[in-house]
Amino acid sequence: MAYKCIHRSKIDANNWAKCVSRSSTQSIYNQIWYLDIVCGKNWKALVWGDYRAVFPLPISGKLGMNFLQNPNLVQQLEIIGHVIETDILELKTFIQSHYKYVALSTRQPIFSKNIERINLMLNVEDYLNTKPSSSLRSNLKKAKDNHLILKNEDSFVDGLNFLKKHFHLTGMSPSDAEWMFYEDIMKKVHKEGKARFSYSFKGTEIVQFAFWIVDNDIAYYLLNISNEEGRKCGASHFSIHAFINQHQNLKLVDFEGSSIEGVKRFYKSFGAIEEPYYLYRENKLPFFLKWFKK
C-alpha cells in the first residue's frame, strides 16, 4: 500500500504546503488553513509517499458511524500533488470500503457513478479588457442612476445582520447553527487576512453585502445577498464589477457555480466560463437509518 491515512494532528503542514505548491491548482479547498477552519481540525487525509500526493478527508458522523462529505463552503476537493493512475484507484477503494455514507464533490471524476455539476470561473484580465454584456451594462446603468457606492470594511457584523435579515430572498433559511458557522468562518478568515467584506450603499442604506475570500490571486464569491431595493437597482452586478475594478491584480473570480439557471445567467453575464466538477453519493447505511442521510 503506497499511502497512509492520518489524522490532521499528525499531518506535516510544511510538507502538505509543498505538495499543494506543486499542484496545477491553488484552490483554498486544498489548503490546511482553510480546511482547519471549515472542518474544525476534525479531518483526516490520505498521504502518498513522502507527501508526493494528498487528499483531504472531511469526516463527520453520528451513531458511531463515519460519514464523508464536503463541509459547508467547500465546493470541491481534489487529489493534489504528483498523482499517478494507481492513486485514483486506491483513493476510490479506500473511500468505498471505509465509509457507509459518502456525499463527495471532487474536481476529478474519481468514481464511475458521478453527477456532473457546474462551477463558473471568470478570468479577470479578460473581463477588464472586454466590453460588458448588454445585461451587465443595463444593470450597471441602474446602479449609476441610483448613485450606488461600494465600500470595503474590516467589520462583518453589519453584513452578517444584513444576510440574516434578507437571506430568505434566496429561498433558503439557514439554521441558527449554520449562522454561527458562517460567523466563525468570517471571523477566522479575517484573522488570516484573506477576508473581504464589501457593502453596496444607496445613500446611507446598505442594499447589498458580499463576503469574499481572496487567496493566491483568486477571489471566491461566497455569502452574498441584495435586499429588495438592491435588486431593483442592479446592486449585485454593481458590487462584483466594482470589486473587480478595485482588485485588478486578481487572476480569477470563482463564483462557486449554481444549478439554478437564473443564477448561471447572472454569472455568465460577466463572461464566466463553465467548469465541471463531480458529485458522488453512496448510502450504505442500514435500511432503518437511510432516511437519516437522504
Side-chain angles (χ1 to χ4, degrees), residues 16 21 109 112 114 120 126 128 130 134 147 150 162 179-180 189 229 233-234 236 244 260-261 278 289:
W16 183 285
S21 70
S112 57
N114 294 298
L120 288 150
D126 289 348
L128 293 171
T130 303
S134 59
H147 308 289
L150 187 74
F162 186 82
W179 284 123
M180 289 177 64
V189 176
E229 183 61 27
C233 56
S236 290
I244 292 173
I260 302 171
E261 287 301 319
Y278 304 91
L289 291 176

Side-chain angles (χ1 to χ4, degrees), residues 2-215:
Y3 66 88
K4 54 185 177 291
C5 178
I6 57 179
H7 190 269
R8 165 63 182 99
S9 59
K10 303 296 184 182
I11 290 174
D12 186 312
N14 289 330
N15 282 337
W16 183 285
K18 290 176 183 177
C19 180
V20 171
S21 70
R22 295 192 295 267
S23 173
S24 60
T25 58
Q26 298 297 315
S27 170
I28 55 171
Y29 310 134
N30 299 335
Q31 298 185 45
I32 279 185
W33 71 266
Y34 190 68
L35 289 166
D36 281 348
I37 290 173
V38 295
C39 300
K41 295 192 177 182
N42 183 32
W43 56 282
K44 296 181 180 179
L46 295 186
V47 177
W48 282 264
D50 188 19
Y51 290 82
R52 170 180 58 78
V54 298
F55 184 86
L57 297 168
I59 55 174
S60 60
K62 294 182 179 180
L63 306 176
M65 286 174 285
N66 284 336
F67 305 146
L68 184 65
Q69 54 192 344
N70 292 57
N72 201 350
L73 299 186
V74 175
Q75 184 197 66
Q76 54 186 275
L77 298 168
E78 63 179 307
I79 182 170
I80 49 182
H82 177 61
V83 181
I84 58 179
E85 188 174 347
T86 56
D87 298 341
I88 302 293
L89 178 59
E90 288 175 338
L91 172 60
K92 175 181 174 180
T93 302
F94 178 88
I95 289 174
Q96 292 180 324
S97 63
H98 282 76
Y99 298 97
K100 294 292 185 182
Y101 178 83
V102 180
L104 200 63
S105 293
T106 58
R107 182 179 176 86
Q108 304 103 329
I110 294 171
F111 303 93
S112 57
K113 295 181 180 180
N114 294 298
I115 301 170
E116 185 173 298
R117 296 285 178 87
I118 297 298
N119 190 23
L120 288 150
M121 300 287 288
L122 178 65
N123 183 292
V124 170
E125 183 177 3
D126 289 348
Y127 177 75
L128 293 171
N129 291 289
T130 303
K131 183 179 179 180
S133 66
S134 59
S135 171
L136 180 55
R137 290 199 306 272
S138 174
N139 280 282
L140 291 178
K141 184 178 184 304
K142 289 180 189 177
K144 183 178 180 180
D145 292 344
N146 282 274
H147 308 289
L148 297 193
I149 297 173
L150 187 74
K151 296 182 181 180
N152 297 304
E153 300 185 3
D154 286 335
S155 174
F156 62 83
V157 175
D158 289 342
L160 183 62
N161 290 334
F162 186 82
L163 282 167
K164 290 180 178 179
K165 183 176 180 179
H166 301 290
F167 211 73
H168 67 278
L169 296 173
T170 66
M172 295 182 287
S173 299
S175 65
D176 289 343
E178 286 175 304
W179 284 123
M180 289 177 64
F181 172 81
Y182 294 143
E183 180 176 1
D184 190 53
I185 292 288
M186 291 183 190
K187 189 179 300 181
K188 289 179 177 177
V189 176
H190 181 256
K191 187 176 180 179
E192 290 283 337
K194 299 177 186 294
R196 303 292 185 273
F197 308 115
S198 67
Y199 297 79
S200 296
F201 284 86
K202 181 180 179 181
T204 58
E205 178 191 1
I206 299 172
V207 295
Q208 195 268 356
F209 168 76
F211 164 47
W212 300 78
I213 296 178
V214 177
D215 183 60

